């Protein structure tokens, strides 16, 4: 061998003839079953190959590969393993010159076949499979970096390589599973087909460029489909974990897009299959957080929401083909529900990987999909339509809650833009108790920026709030602007939710948390005053009981007010205020414990039906609170004014479906909210004559308006220039006088009606109205 190697090195042009001769000998010996000579010939070739790195090696390699192919074709496992080992040695050699004509198709096919070996003997089967995996690893190494050789990323190669590796990953032999732990295993046990396949798959994916990811992932999806591996989802999740950690981070979004496309393709598959795909998506999204979810972020959520809507339809119709109404498969409602929960969890996982501004966009996107009757959405009529709308609303709000839980934004104006907040609060007034609860939880997750939510999970009247260890920051300027803009809207919705008869303990706990978090996160002196007025108005709802609430609802509202005022009095640190609240709570403990949270918000509430015969000493009085807080610099005039919410059309329409009900409700609300409602005369009786008169009057008004417009147009067309100039000059003078008034106000700001304002419930600061908060006359707005 030494002489042969020396001869080959000194006369490299003879190398191809040496190879041809050895190849001829080996083929002859194989056919004659002289395996000793076969081993000698292969060893000679291996040593020549390792020794001779020169430009003329190409021709020699042809002979070498022919011999390896001959060994792999043999039925003898030992020859197959021998051929594979030689090929792996060859694969590790870096050649100086590329080969234009070499083909590896046979080797890919044969090694893939060996990976699926089903030999009767377990040891031999394991050895053959490991040889197959090593062979595939060798092919990849040999071809992946050489553009002139066969493109290993072509689908015809990937469709053989990837499933072969997955097959070995999937089938863990019993002997291996009995191994106590990797640390105690012997060297032989450590090297198993499963571990080798995983290493090979990681290497393959790690070398994949941008354009090759799709070809590498598609066979994985097909393999999981063909072998029904989505349903237990353990193997599928394991595969995609390997994939996501192996590929380059900037390519992560391509894998996610492939999975989304596959989910769409499986729209009519069983719920368990779709749930498996979605679970894998969720895992992949978390891993992709370090890279990028991709440029089409909203498309990801659009796909998931579309699948959610389809699942709701499937569950309601019991058919995958809603149009035909004929189902080829039996749909199980609990499986669809499981799928819906998986989608919602995945939406949360995706959103948590996004930057804040994209999370905000996603929440607006989801909210715009929620069907709301108040905003002229396409609401389906009929029983089936109502069910579909309700389920859609609940699922989308659940998704929104998942996103909002992980959302952190210091600026409430950015976190809750007007259009988003309007739609969200519209859902808060729906008759469905579950939907209202979701809206409250979403609002709480936005407002709670310091993690105080859990401290208000139970309603109680504790004597010392320092045990709660609340995190309180000074209200920022942006928060002040937010409350000026949206405060009344929030108060109105809290007030209206309190009046709902279908409220349960969870609703009151959410309302309590909401009130407390606004007080901690967003409150200045004005907000605190408004919240106290609001809670006193809620007490009045329970006291007067115009809405015929149940005893539980009334007691719950009384208890809610007591718990809130107990905490806010300690936050404001006004001793006289604390004293008044404490006295009323003590009186309730003696006379009416059923008005306190400790008796109401328990598993078996202790209620009283004699709520209309309560004495004045168990109520919180607005006049008394106004007096004690007014003496500490709070706005006593505002405190003494009862809170009356301004109902809007949107509030009324959100619950009503027919126009008749809407009109009657408007009339009722107007009459109830009017200050002179007692003096108002009885409603005029509507007859044929009054209707006729109304129609004639409206026609006459339209005629007058049309005539006025005609005169204005004619004047500007025919009147002399001087007359038009004088008319416009008079209007300009009026405008100038209004502007002069505004400039005077701007230069000398008026004094604050309450003298001083407390910033963090105590520290006084000078107060003046900034320019951007002034109310300008209509003429000044251009």
């Amino acid at each position: 061998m030494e002489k042969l190697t020396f001869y080959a090195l000194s006369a490299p042009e003879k190398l191809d003839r040496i190879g041809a001769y050895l190849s001829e000998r080996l083929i002859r010996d194989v056919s004659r079953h002289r395996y000793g000579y076969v081993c000698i010939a292969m060893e000679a070739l291996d040593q020549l190959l390792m020794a001779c790195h020169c430009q003329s090696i190409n021709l020699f390699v042809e002979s070498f590969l022919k011999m390896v192919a001959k060994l792999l074709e043999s039925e003898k496992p030992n020859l197959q393993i021998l051929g594979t080992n030689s090929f792996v040695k060859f694969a590790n050699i870096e050649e100086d010159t590329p080969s234009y004509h070499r083909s590896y198709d046979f080797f890919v096919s044969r090694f893939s076949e060996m990976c699926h070996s089903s030999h009767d003997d377990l040891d031999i089967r394991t050895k053959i499979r490991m040889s197959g995996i090593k062979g595939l690893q060798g092919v990849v190494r040999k071809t992946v970096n050489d553009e002139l050789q066969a493109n290993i990323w072509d689908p015809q190669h990937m469709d053989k390589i990837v499933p072969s590796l997955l097959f070995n990953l999937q089938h863990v032999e019993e002997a291996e599973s009995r191994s106590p732990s990797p640390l105690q295993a012997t060297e032989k046990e450590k090297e198993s087909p499963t571990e080798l396949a995983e290493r090979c798959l990681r290497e393959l994916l790690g070398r994949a460029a941008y354009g090759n990811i799709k070809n590498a992932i598609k066979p994985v999806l097909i393999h999981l489909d063909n072998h029904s591996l989505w349903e237990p989802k353990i193997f599928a999740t394991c595969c995609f974990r390997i994939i996501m950690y192996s590929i380059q981070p900037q390519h992560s979004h391509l894998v996610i897009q492939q999975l989304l496309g596959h989910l769409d393709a499986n729209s009519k598959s069983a719920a368990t299959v779709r749930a498996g795909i979605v679970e894998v998506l969720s895992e992949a999204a978390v891993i992709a957080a370090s890279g990028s979810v991709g440029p089409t972020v909203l498309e990801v959520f659009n796909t998931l929401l579309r699948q959610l809507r389809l699942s709701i339809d499937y569950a309601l119709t019991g058919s995958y083909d809603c149009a035909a109404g004929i189902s080829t498969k039996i749909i199980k409602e609990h499986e669809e529900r499981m799928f819906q929960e998986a989608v919602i969890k995945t939406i949360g996982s995706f959103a948590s990987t996004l930057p804040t501004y994209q999370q905000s966009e996603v929440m607006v996107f989801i909210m715009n999909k929620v069907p709301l009757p108040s905003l002229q959405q396409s609401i389906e009529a009929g029983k089936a339509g109502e069910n579909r709308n309700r389920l859609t609303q609940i699922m989308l709000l659940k998704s929104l809650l998942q996103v909002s839980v992980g959302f952190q934004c210091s600026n409430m104006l950015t976190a809750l833009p007007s259009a988003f907040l309007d739609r969200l609060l519209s859902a808060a007034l729906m008759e469905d108790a579950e939907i209202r609860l979701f809206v409250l939880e979403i609002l709480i997750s936005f407002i709670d920026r310091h993690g105080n939510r859990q401290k208000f999970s139970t309603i109680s009247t504790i004597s010392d709030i320092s045990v709660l260890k609340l995190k309180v920051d000074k209200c920022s300027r942006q928060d002040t602007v937010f409350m000026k803009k949206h405060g009344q809207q929030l108060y109105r919705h809290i007030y209206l939710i309190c009046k709902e008869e279908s409220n349960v303990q969870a609703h009151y706990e959410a309302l309590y948390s909401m009130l407390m978090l606004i007080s901690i996160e967003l409150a200045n002196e004005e907000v605190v005053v408004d919240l106290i007025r609001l809670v006193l108005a809620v007490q009045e709802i329970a006291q007067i009981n115009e809405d015929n609430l149940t005893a539980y609802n009334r007691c719950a509202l009384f208890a809610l007010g007591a718990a809130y005022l107990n905490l806010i009095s300690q936050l404001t640190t006004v001793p006289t205020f604390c004293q008044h609240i404490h006295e009323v709570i003590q009186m309730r403990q003696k006379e009416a414990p059923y008005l306190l949270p400790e008796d109401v918000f328990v598993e078996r509430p202790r209620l009283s039906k004699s709520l209309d015969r309560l004495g004045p000493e168990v109520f919180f009085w607005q006049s008394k609170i106004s007096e004690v807080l007014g003496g500490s610099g709070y706005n006593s005039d505002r405190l003494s004014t009862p809170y009356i919410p301004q109902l809007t059309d949107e509030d009324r329409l959100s619950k009503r479906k027919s126009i008749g009900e809407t009109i009657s409700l408007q009339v009722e609300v107007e009459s109830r909210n009017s200050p002179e409602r007692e003096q108002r005369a009885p409603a005029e009786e509507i007859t044929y004559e009054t209707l006729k008169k109304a129609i004639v009057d409206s026609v006459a008004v339209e005629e007058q308006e049309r005539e006025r417009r005609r005169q204005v147009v004619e004047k500007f067309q025919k009147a002399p220039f001087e007359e038009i100039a004088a008319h416009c000059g008079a209007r300009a003078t009026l405008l100038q006088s209004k502007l002069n008034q505004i400039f005077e106000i701007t230069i000398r700001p008026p004094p604050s009606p309450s003298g001083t304002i407390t910033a963090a419930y105590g520290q006084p600061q000078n107060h003046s109205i900034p320019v951007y908060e002034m109310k300008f006359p209509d003429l000044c707005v251009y």
Side-chain angles (χ1 to χ4, degrees):
M1 196 64 223
E2 285 176 14
K3 287 180 181 178
L4 181 61
T5 308
F6 177 76
Y7 177 67
L9 285 170
S10 56
E13 69 277 1
K14 301 289 185 183
L15 197 58
D16 55 323
R17 288 179 63 188
I18 296 169
Y21 172 73
L22 284 172
S23 175
E24 188 184 325
R25 284 291 303 268
L26 182 130
I27 291 164
R28 190 171 66 211
D29 290 337
V30 167
S31 58
R32 292 177 182 176
H33 306 289
R34 296 164 70 181
Y35 300 124
Y37 288 110
V38 171
C39 292
I40 291 167
M42 273 320 293
E43 194 175 335
L45 273 170
D46 286 348
Q47 289 195 30
L48 285 172
L49 199 61
M50 301 305 286
C52 304
H53 290 182
C54 58
Q55 293 185 354
S56 58
I57 200 173
N58 267 336
L59 294 172
F60 174 67
V61 168
E62 292 303 318
S63 303
F64 171 78
L65 290 177
K66 196 189 295 180
M67 291 166 68
V68 171
K70 186 69 180 175
L71 291 177
L72 292 174
E73 283 171 353
S74 167
E75 291 180 5
K76 296 282 182 183
N78 289 341
L79 292 185
Q80 293 174 16
I81 293 164
L82 184 67
T84 306
N85 291 341
S86 291
F87 183 83
V88 170
K89 288 175 189 171
F90 160 69
N92 289 327
I93 295 171
E94 290 186 16
E95 295 181 57
D96 298 331
T97 53
S99 172
Y100 303 96
H101 56 281
R102 203 179 293 160
S103 171
Y104 293 98
D105 293 10
F106 165 78
F107 294 101
V108 170
S109 302
R110 185 65 189 128
F111 288 137
S112 299
E113 199 178 324
M114 287 167 69
C115 287
H116 290 84
S117 171
S118 55
H119 199 280
D120 296 335
D121 188 319
L122 177 62
D123 285 338
I124 293 173
R125 182 167 73 230
T126 302
K127 284 178 182 175
I128 293 172
R129 286 187 181 179
M130 286 181 68
S131 290
I133 297 165
K134 286 176 183 174
L136 289 176
Q137 195 174 23
V139 173
V140 171
R141 284 178 180 171
K142 198 69 189 163
T143 57
V144 78
N145 292 325
D146 195 344
E147 293 177 5
L148 296 170
Q149 296 195 14
N151 188 1
I152 203 69
W153 301 107
D154 284 347
Q156 70 262 28
H157 298 314
M158 281 289 114
D159 291 347
K160 293 172 188 171
I161 294 171
V162 173
S164 302
L165 298 175
L166 293 178
F167 176 79
N168 282 283
L169 264 178
Q170 181 188 343
H171 291 88
V172 180
E173 301 295 351
E174 289 179 16
E176 292 166 29
S177 60
R178 284 200 299 269
S179 178
S181 76
L183 294 172
Q184 295 170 8
T186 62
E187 285 299 318
K188 188 180 177 184
E189 284 177 315
K190 277 184 183 176
E191 193 67 358
S192 66
T194 309
E195 291 169 7
L196 194 60
E198 183 180 332
R199 201 158 64 243
C200 185
L201 184 62
R202 286 182 187 279
E203 187 179 334
L204 177 72
L205 293 164
R207 293 169 182 266
Y210 182 87
N212 304 325
I213 292 285
K214 189 176 178 181
N215 288 348
I217 302 303
K218 195 175 179 185
V220 178
L221 300 172
I222 293 168
H223 181 84
L224 295 171
D225 283 347
N226 292 344
H227 296 272
S228 304
L229 294 170
W230 291 112
E231 291 176 41
K233 76 175 179 289
I234 298 162
F235 179 70
T237 307
C238 172
C239 278
F240 274 90
R241 204 174 282 134
I242 291 169
I243 290 167
M244 295 305 290
Y245 281 122
S246 301
I247 61 171
Q248 296 170 44
Q250 66 269 27
H251 300 157
S252 298
H253 68 276
L254 292 174
V255 179
I256 287 166
Q257 282 173 3
Q258 287 274 92
L259 278 166
L260 286 167
H262 198 65
L263 181 60
D264 273 343
N266 280 276
S267 289
K268 294 187 180 179
S269 298
T272 48
V273 173
R274 284 178 282 130
I277 299 172
V278 167
E279 288 275 357
V280 170
L281 255 172
S282 178
E283 289 274 343
V286 173
I287 297 167
S290 57
S292 164
V293 178
T296 55
V297 171
L298 292 182
E299 189 53 42
V300 171
F301 291 93
N302 199 24
T303 303
L304 290 170
L305 295 177
R306 183 167 63 247
Q307 290 299 325
L308 202 57
R309 189 69 188 252
L310 280 172
S311 177
I312 291 166
D313 287 343
Y314 295 157
L316 287 171
T317 59
S319 164
Y320 285 123
D321 191 357
C322 301
I326 302 163
S327 178
T328 52
K329 298 174 186 172
I330 298 167
I331 290 178
K332 295 176 183 172
E333 200 170 332
H334 74 275
E335 288 182 355
E336 288 297 337
R337 199 155 42 245
M338 181 189 73
F339 168 71
Q340 290 158 15
E341 292 298 331
V343 171
I344 290 164
K345 180 188 163 197
T346 305
I347 286 172
S349 297
F350 264 115
S352 65
T353 67
L354 299 174
T356 305
Y357 75 94
Q358 280 189 329
Q359 283 182 332
S360 191
E361 283 177 14
V362 166
M363 286 188 284
V364 172
F365 180 74
I366 295 173
M367 195 65 225
N368 286 336
K369 297 267 183 187
V370 179
L372 297 172
S374 58
L375 299 169
Q376 293 81 44
Q377 286 280 80
S378 54
I379 291 287
E380 297 177 56
K383 188 72 178 168
E386 280 180 28
N387 284 342
R388 184 175 284 108
N389 290 328
R390 180 182 175 277
L391 282 170
T392 306
Q393 287 159 350
I394 286 173
M395 289 302 163
L396 291 175
L397 288 171
K398 264 190 182 180
S399 306
L400 194 57
L401 181 58
Q402 278 284 330
V403 179
S404 66
V405 165
F407 182 69
Q408 289 293 330
C409 184
S410 56
N411 188 347
M412 290 299 293
L413 283 168
T414 312
L416 290 168
S418 296
F420 175 78
L421 189 61
D422 291 345
R423 287 186 65 83
L424 186 60
L425 291 174
S426 295
L429 298 179
M430 301 187 83
E431 288 174 344
D432 192 289
E434 196 176 354
I435 290 174
R436 289 202 307 276
L437 187 57
F438 276 126
V439 173
L440 285 171
E441 291 293 343
I442 290 164
L443 284 168
I444 286 167
S445 66
F446 276 117
I447 297 169
D448 182 23
R449 293 167 294 180
H450 293 90
N452 290 313
R453 166 74 169 101
Q454 291 307 313
K455 295 162 188 174
F456 304 118
S457 54
T458 54
I459 309 178
S460 63
T461 51
I462 56 171
S463 56
D464 183 11
I465 62 163
S466 62
V467 297
L468 295 177
K469 295 179 181 175
L470 299 173
K471 294 176 186 173
V472 184
D473 274 353
K474 186 180 174 184
C475 181
S476 67
R477 182 178 161 277
Q478 290 98 331
D479 291 344
T480 305
V481 174
F482 173 80
M483 287 308 287
K484 279 190 179 295
K485 191 175 180 183
H486 298 296
Q488 294 304 322
Q489 199 178 3
L490 285 171
Y491 307 148
R492 185 174 77 242
H493 283 80
I494 292 170
Y495 180 85
L496 293 171
I497 292 170
C498 287
K499 295 174 79 168
E500 293 291 344
E501 196 174 341
S502 57
N503 287 344
V504 294
Q505 183 174 337
H507 290 85
Y508 296 113
E509 285 172 353
L511 285 164
Y512 175 66
S513 297
M514 178 96 167
L515 288 165
M516 285 314 306
L517 288 168
I518 292 174
S519 307
I520 291 170
E521 297 277 353
L522 305 169
N524 52 23
E525 181 245 5
E526 190 179 326
V527 172
V528 171
V529 167
D530 282 341
L531 286 170
I532 292 169
R533 289 172 61 226
L534 171 63
V535 171
L536 292 171
V538 168
Q539 177 186 259
E540 196 178 344
I541 293 172
Q543 201 174 345
I544 297 170
N545 198 22
E546 285 181 352
D547 298 280
N548 296 320
L549 296 172
T550 62
Y552 173 76
N553 292 127
R554 293 177 71 187
C555 287
L557 290 179
F558 281 126
L560 175 69
Y564 175 74
L565 289 171
N566 173 56
L567 279 184
I568 198 70
S569 65
Q570 294 181 58
L571 277 174
T572 50
T573 62
V574 178
T576 49
F577 183 31
C578 293
Q579 187 184 348
H580 169 64
I581 302 302
H582 189 59
E583 283 170 2
V584 175
I585 288 172
Q586 279 187 325
M587 191 58 70
R588 284 188 181 185
Q589 285 169 346
K590 289 178 189 173
E591 306 288 333
Y594 46 83
L595 302 185
L596 291 172
E598 286 77 8
D599 273 36
V600 178
F601 301 117
V602 288
E603 195 174 335
R604 291 182 180 174
R606 292 179 283 280
L607 307 175
S608 168
K609 293 188 178 174
S610 58
L611 292 172
D612 296 322
R613 295 196 294 275
L614 292 168
E617 67 278 358
V618 296
F619 296 122
F620 302 99
W621 291 99
Q622 189 149 4
S623 54
K624 179 70 176 170
I625 292 172
S626 172
E627 182 187 326
V628 295
L629 284 179
S632 300
Y634 286 83
N635 188 336
S636 56
D637 292 342
R638 192 172 178 82
L639 266 168
S640 57
T641 311
Y643 175 76
I644 299 169
Q646 297 299 311
L647 298 187
T648 64
D649 290 342
E650 174 259 321
D651 296 336
R652 293 191 289 269
L653 284 170
S654 60
K655 281 190 183 178
R656 310 295 165 183
K657 305 206 172 36
S658 70
I659 297 169
E661 285 180 6
T662 305
I663 293 170
S664 66
L665 188 71
Q666 281 175 336
V667 172
E668 178 196 332
V669 168
E670 282 169 12
S671 63
R672 192 191 303 166
N673 286 343
S674 173
E676 63 273 359
R677 60 174 183 260
E678 289 82 4
Q679 289 80 20
R680 184 174 286 188
E684 184 185 348
E685 189 182 350
I686 297 174
T687 61
Y688 171 76
E689 289 298 326
T690 54
L691 287 172
K692 183 178 175 184
K693 186 180 176 186
I695 293 166
V696 171
D697 285 352
S698 65
V699 170
V701 169
E702 282 180 19
E703 284 292 332
Q704 287 174 6
E705 182 66 22
R706 202 177 290 118
E707 178 62 24
R708 193 182 68 77
R709 286 181 189 163
R710 191 188 61 74
Q711 286 174 1
V712 170
V713 171
E714 191 176 332
K715 178 181 176 183
F716 274 88
Q717 283 177 341
K718 296 180 180 177
F721 174 76
E722 289 78 10
E723 188 180 330
I724 295 169
H727 175 72
C728 292
R731 293 189 66 181
T733 308
L734 179 65
L735 178 62
Q736 186 61 46
S737 67
K738 291 286 182 188
L739 283 170
N740 289 338
Q741 288 177 22
I742 289 158
F743 293 145
E744 283 179 20
I745 293 167
T746 310
I747 294 161
R748 292 195 307 276
S752 166
S754 62
T756 59
I757 180 167
T758 54
Y761 317 149
Q763 302 95 16
Q765 62 181 37
N766 292 329
H767 178 63
S768 62
I769 299 174
V771 178
Y772 58 80
E773 290 175 14
M774 288 180 186
K775 295 287 182 189
F776 291 101
D778 291 344
L779 283 169
C780 298
V781 180
Y782 176 68

